[in-house]
Amino acid sequence: MDESLCYSVENVRLQTQDAEAELGCYTVRFYVDGDRPSRVPTGTVEEFFYYPSGGTIRDRDLNIVCYEPRLDTYHTSNRDA
């Protein structure tokens, strides 16, 4: 099983480091548990959409499935002083 497909902030950054955003978002892939990204291997992988301007991960229907402040480019703790 591919550990880079387990959901984490580090794996979002890993999957997007050399990719180009399309319409403001990146396509990322993760194992799923139900309809949410899974932190552990499950055998099923789905595509999600990462929006850095809001730190959100959305499903194929563009529903927000998680918010991560460390991935939000506008979150206060991520701004350079």
Side-chain angles (χ1 to χ4, degrees):
M1 299 237 154
D2 186 347
E3 292 297 317
S4 70
L5 297 176
C6 294
Y7 175 75
S8 69
V9 169
E10 294 77 19
N11 285 339
V12 172
R13 290 181 177 150
L14 176 69
Q15 290 188 37
T16 60
Q17 71 185 357
D18 294 326
E20 289 195 34
E22 186 173 320
L23 299 174
C25 75
Y26 295 89
T27 301
V28 292
R29 296 173 30 136
F30 294 110
Y31 293 114
V32 291
D33 181 13
D35 59 352
R36 301 181 57 84
S38 176
R39 294 185 183 277
V40 296
T42 63
T44 304
V45 176
E46 295 283 338
E47 285 189 343
F48 294 89
F49 304 99
Y50 161 52
Y51 287 81
S53 63
T56 58
I57 305 291
R58 295 174 181 258
D59 65 15
R60 67 177 153 250
D61 297 321
L62 300 181
N63 297 309
I64 296 173
V65 293
C66 55
Y67 166 71
E68 180 56 62
R70 294 180 293 165
L71 293 172
D72 187 345
T73 56
Y74 295 109
H75 191 268
T76 308
S77 66
N78 291 332
R79 294 185 188 159
D80 293 333

